[in-house]
Amino acid sequence: MEIKSVNDFKEYSSEKFTKRVMFKEGGSTVFVLNFEPGQTLPAHKHPGTNVYILVLNGSGTFTVDSKQQLLKEQDVLLITGDEELSFENTGDQSVSLYVMLNKIPDERFTQDI
């Protein structure tokens, strides 16, 4: 058993969003993305995997295949690897997203940035 606190992975930077990896086991990884107001996650896909995203705090706009959706604290989003995803913190508070990838496509998705 391994226990970690999500709060230990909420690290914000005024320069760009941050990604902090909590777990990496086999083909899955769990990480926290942290955004200050106005920061964005560029459009991208996760080929061959499903992506589960829980909004831990704050709110922001997700764009999935050109469709925009505002999500807030405690909302959960599921997308497939074929869908293109981007995110923008459109609110006035910091946002943290708890993200789980199953069957990670390659190692670049498992690194802190």
Side-chain angles (χ1 to χ4, degrees), residues 58-109:
S59 64
T61 302
F62 286 87
T63 303
V64 179
D65 286 344
S66 301
K67 181 181 177 188
Q68 291 189 333
Q69 181 67 50
L70 179 67
L71 273 75
K72 62 188 182 328
E73 186 173 325
Q74 302 304 310
D75 286 341
V76 178
L77 173 67
L78 166 62
I79 65 164
T80 68
D82 296 327
E83 294 176 296
E84 185 175 72
L85 166 73
S86 65
F87 174 78
E88 180 178 2
N89 180 349
T90 52
D92 58 2
Q93 298 178 349
S94 299
V95 171
S96 290
L97 307 175
Y98 180 90
V99 182
M100 183 175 70
L101 296 176
N102 287 327
K103 296 187 243 171
I104 54 175
D106 63 59
E107 289 302 308
R108 66 191 161 114
F109 290 101

Side-chain angles (χ1 to χ4, degrees), residues 22-81:
M22 293 184 67
F23 298 100
K24 178 186 169 201
E25 289 293 324
S28 297
T29 187
V30 173
F31 52 87
V32 178
L33 295 175
N34 303 288
F35 301 85
E36 290 291 352
Q39 292 179 337
T40 61
L41 175 68
H44 64 289
K45 294 182 179 186
H46 298 90
T49 189
N50 285 338
V51 181
Y52 303 86
I53 302 172
L54 166 64
V55 181
L56 294 169
N57 53 275
S59 64
T61 302
F62 286 87
T63 303
V64 179
D65 286 344
S66 301
K67 181 181 177 188
Q68 291 189 333
Q69 181 67 50
L70 179 67
L71 273 75
K72 62 188 182 328
E73 186 173 325
Q74 302 304 310
D75 286 341
V76 178
L77 173 67
L78 166 62
I79 65 164
T80 68

